[in-house]
Amino acid sequence: MEKIDKDSTIPLHIQLNSIIKKMIEDGELRPGDAIIPERELCSMQNVSRMTVNKAIIGLVSEGLLYRVQGKGTFVSKNKKKYQFSNVKGFTDVMKEKGITIRTDILSFEMEVPSELIKRKLKIDNEETNVYKVVRLRYTDGEPFGIETVYLSEDTCKGFTKRMLDNNSLYRMLGENYNYKIQRAEQAMEPVILSEEECRILDAEEGTLALKLQRNSYNVEGKPIEYTISIFRSDKYQYEIILSE
């Protein structure tokens, strides 16, 4: 490993960041390899733990490294690229790419909608409740994202957890309610996983993620579902396909 130049005007943590990054780019560190423990890096480079930690955090944020609690810090595998289209559900997109999908329903309940949910689903009746379904999505056996789905009680009368077990949301809406999703509005923003989200997704504290909010409409322009998804971004990257 190259040594940090303490006479340089470049901050120490940035130098260390660049050294490790070069080791990855040159193949000295390969995907899945554990990097040198932070204590050893401190000793090797004669720098503080804070300097090392700052360099590592920067590489984790870039997606080049990821942390596993109790095990260490590892070089990220080449990120899988996932596409989100306007009118296709997660399950259909993943299956088209030959990716194995599994879904666990973490909770299924009916609740009084917030003002935001009322606006998203255009609920005018004060007595109308919503179904709230929280699902944990896996790709190729790894926890990938948390989805919170909201459906109006009036729009999906008689909706049950069994309808969604081992089933795509959009397929369920078509089979049980004859809804065909015509278009979807999506908003994206980067977020840091909460402590609970880190626990569910088996991710290190402070891991960056992508928050996707999606409002889907049927052919008549009626809002059918509103979903908030939190997807890991430390091992994956995404494309949004926009079409008229």
Side-chain angles (χ1 to χ4, degrees):
M1 172 181 272
E2 294 180 22
K3 294 291 185 181
I4 286 173
D5 180 3
K6 293 192 174 181
D7 294 326
S8 171
T9 57
I10 300 174
L12 299 181
H13 74 278
I14 293 179
Q15 289 189 57
L16 182 55
N17 180 298
S18 298
I19 289 170
I20 297 173
K21 187 182 294 185
K22 186 174 185 298
M23 292 173 70
I24 295 172
E25 291 171 349
D26 291 346
E28 190 173 342
L29 286 172
R30 298 180 179 277
D33 284 352
I35 69 167
I36 299 169
E38 292 187 18
R39 289 182 184 276
E40 290 185 32
L41 281 172
C42 292
S43 177
M44 289 174 62
Q45 297 288 353
N46 193 24
V47 293
S48 69
R49 186 71 177 268
M50 183 180 296
T51 295
V52 172
N53 189 252
K54 203 169 181 181
I56 299 301
I57 288 175
L59 292 166
V60 170
S61 297
E62 290 182 57
L64 294 174
L65 300 178
Y66 67 95
R67 285 171 159 170
V68 178
Q69 193 165 4
K71 293 185 179 180
T73 304
F74 301 84
V75 179
S76 297
K77 296 178 182 178
N78 293 329
K79 290 188 175 183
K80 300 173 183 177
K81 184 177 289 187
Y82 293 149
Q83 296 180 341
F84 294 96
S85 70
N86 279 350
V87 294
K88 285 185 179 179
F90 175 88
T91 301
D92 292 333
V93 172
M94 296 299 105
K95 284 185 176 180
E96 285 180 2
K97 292 183 172 292
I99 296 168
T100 303
I101 298 299
R102 190 180 104 225
T103 301
D104 291 343
I105 297 179
L106 302 182
S107 66
F108 182 99
E109 58 190 350
M110 185 177 286
E111 66 178 27
V112 176
S114 66
E115 291 302 316
L116 171 66
I117 302 302
K118 286 181 181 178
R119 290 198 305 273
K120 294 294 184 181
L121 295 178
K122 293 187 178 179
I123 296 174
D124 298 321
N125 188 341
E126 291 297 323
E127 297 183 359
T128 298
N129 291 322
V130 293
Y131 295 101
K132 178 183 176 182
V133 185
V134 181
R135 303 191 292 172
L136 176 59
R137 314 304 293 265
Y138 295 81
T139 61
D140 293 333
E142 292 190 339
F144 169 80
I146 303 168
E147 288 185 347
T148 303
V149 179
Y150 296 92
L151 301 169
S152 169
E153 178 187 12
D154 289 342
T155 301
C156 298
K157 293 183 183 296
F159 178 44
T160 65
K161 177 177 177 291
R162 180 174 293 181
M163 291 180 184
L164 205 51
D165 282 337
N166 302 311
N167 199 6
S168 156
L169 174 64
Y170 285 2
R171 187 179 304 116
M172 183 281 296
L173 290 170
E175 291 173 349
N176 293 276
Y177 301 100
N178 201 31
Y179 291 138
K180 180 180 179 182
I181 301 302
Q182 181 71 20
R183 68 181 182 89
E185 297 172 352
Q186 299 184 130
M188 299 170 59
E189 62 178 317
V191 296
I192 295 177
L193 292 176
S194 68
E195 183 177 343
E196 178 65 8
E197 289 164 346
C198 286
R199 183 188 66 80
I200 293 172
L201 293 172
D202 192 25
E204 185 74 16
E205 182 180 350
T207 296
L208 290 173
L210 184 70
K211 180 179 180 180
L212 183 67
Q213 300 174 71
R214 178 178 176 122
N215 225 157
S216 300
Y217 302 80
N218 67 1
V219 291
E220 286 82 27
K222 179 179 180 179
I224 302 300
E225 57 110 8
Y226 175 62
T227 297
I228 301 173
S229 302
I230 303 292
F231 294 123
R232 294 182 63 162
S233 63
D234 56 335
K235 295 183 179 180
Y236 309 94
Q237 63 179 196
Y238 311 95
E239 286 184 342
I240 298 295
I241 305 301
L242 301 177
S243 60
E244 296 183 352

